[in-house]
Amino acid sequence: MSLEKDLISDKQKKYNVLFVSSGNIKGFDVAPFIKVQGDSLSKLNINVTYFRIIGKGFKGYISNIGRLRKILKKSNFDLIHAHFTFSAWVAVLSRPKIPIVLSLMGTDAYGRVEKLSQAKPSLNILTVSSLIIQPFVKKIISKSPNIEKVVWQKNKSNILPNGVNLDIFYPTEKSCMESLNLKPDKKYVLFLGNINDPRKNFQLLNKIKKSLRDHNIEILTPYPIEHSKIIAYLNSADLLVMCSLQEGSPNVVKEAMACNCKGVFTDVGDVASLIGNTKGYVLTDFDPVDLKNKILGLINTNECDGRSRLLELGLDLNSVALRLKNIYSSVLSK
């Protein structure tokens, strides 16, 4: 059956879903990618309500249990979808009478990585918490295979990366350069992560800043910026660098691909399988010389098939939303 027919038939089923996630992200009620996911589900007759957890650390999360319990008593939800293991613990301990779906976000599977020596499997409070919670949830969604490694209840496991809204992220002419104060006679390398977050590993790119300038290449670090401005940068920069120490299925890589923005990425999470042999993308080692050579080798090329690759993988927002609803359906049909 075609995707279009699936969407039509599946629209007959209506669900009320409570998203439980952090409300601690500066400048946002909920993380933008979670809001995008919720909005995409509305097209499939799924009504999404957001429960924002206020407080940090395990104790901060647990303090929200009573508030969630009151909301569940007053409302008629079919299912809880918790994003991040600590959020799922808040849901579990509120003793709901409805099933819980858990999305593992990355750090809850492999811990908080801050240097290359830590970028390997290890037991920590986040990982242990993710192992213990699995009997209490009905389905577990991992964004990538490296995250799924922590899932031992394989009958509950699903791998589902976040989708990309191709109606918002698409290639345009470099008409945004002037509004971003970029000069047409320069080349620009874009880094969209938080330069102060050790896990994003900006220090690797920063090591070659001077040598890139010798080639008339400037590094752009606009974080933090509005989500809407990301599109302008992706369509104005010559390539994106993502050199994180560890990731799940990084949204920024998929958004760059949707805009046909070329990229040089470290081999983390599902990045290698995302880009495959797609023109316009290469992997780099955690080595400044290799990173510089990969940038110089790619920045002057014109071919890029990132958008076509996303469509081939079925990572447009509507396809992913349908797959997520099918997960919900499998839980609620039992």
Side-chain angles (χ1 to χ4, degrees), residues 207-217 292 296:
K207 287 178 181 178
I208 60 172
K209 183 177 182 178
K210 184 178 182 301
S211 60
L212 289 179
R213 279 182 173 171
D214 293 339
H215 294 271
N216 200 33
I217 300 170
K292 184 188 76 170
L296 295 179

Side-chain angles (χ1 to χ4, degrees), residues 99-125:
I100 300 169
V101 172
L102 163 63
S103 277
L104 294 173
M105 309 305 289
T107 55
D108 44 1
Y110 49 70
R112 300 193 183 280
V113 174
E114 296 190 352
K115 53 187 178 181
L116 190 58
S117 62
Q118 295 176 336
K120 56 186 177 181
S122 62
L123 286 179
N124 53 76
I125 187 171

Side-chain angles (χ1 to χ4, degrees), residues 228-244:
S228 59
K229 280 194 173 182
I230 293 175
I231 304 153
Y233 275 101
L234 288 173
N235 277 293
S236 299
D238 294 279
L239 62 81
L240 173 77
V241 168
M242 189 286 299
C243 49
S244 297

Side-chain angles (χ1 to χ4, degrees), residues 87-251:
S87 298
W89 275 116
V90 174
V92 168
L93 294 173
S94 68
R95 294 178 297 182
K97 297 179 180 179
I98 55 176
I100 300 169
V101 172
L102 163 63
S103 277
L104 294 173
M105 309 305 289
T107 55
D108 44 1
Y110 49 70
R112 300 193 183 280
V113 174
E114 296 190 352
K115 53 187 178 181
L116 190 58
S117 62
Q118 295 176 336
K120 56 186 177 181
S122 62
L123 286 179
N124 53 76
I125 187 171
L126 291 167
T127 304
V128 171
S129 179
S130 297
L131 292 169
I132 295 172
I133 200 170
Q134 294 178 33
F136 303 102
V137 300
K138 295 297 184 182
K139 289 289 181 181
I140 302 167
I141 298 171
S142 303
K143 303 298 180 184
S144 59
N146 69 309
I147 293 176
E148 193 203 25
K149 289 177 181 178
V150 78
V151 181
W152 56 273
Q153 292 200 328
K154 297 299 183 185
N155 61 316
K156 298 180 179 180
S157 182
N158 299 266
I159 296 178
L160 184 62
N162 292 327
V164 182
N165 190 336
L166 299 184
D167 294 330
I168 294 178
F169 289 92
Y170 58 88
T172 66
E173 296 296 326
K174 293 192 174 183
S175 56
C176 303
M177 292 189 70
E178 186 175 348
S179 66
L180 298 175
N181 296 317
L182 304 182
K183 299 177 181 178
D185 60 337
K186 279 186 176 292
K187 296 288 184 180
Y188 291 98
V189 167
L190 178 63
F191 183 89
L192 281 172
N194 182 352
I195 64 172
N196 296 314
D197 184 346
R199 290 167 289 168
K200 298 302 180 182
N201 199 23
F202 174 70
Q203 59 267 27
L204 177 63
L205 179 59
N206 199 40
K207 287 178 181 178
I208 60 172
K209 183 177 182 178
K210 184 178 182 301
S211 60
L212 289 179
R213 279 182 173 171
D214 293 339
H215 294 271
N216 200 33
I217 300 170
E218 293 289 337
I219 298 173
L220 301 174
T221 56
Y223 180 93
I225 56 171
E226 298 173 12
H227 199 241
S228 59
K229 280 194 173 182
I230 293 175
I231 304 153
Y233 275 101
L234 288 173
N235 277 293
S236 299
D238 294 279
L239 62 81
L240 173 77
V241 168
M242 189 286 299
C243 49
S244 297
L245 297 173
Q246 198 156 17
E247 293 279 353
S249 182
N251 293 318

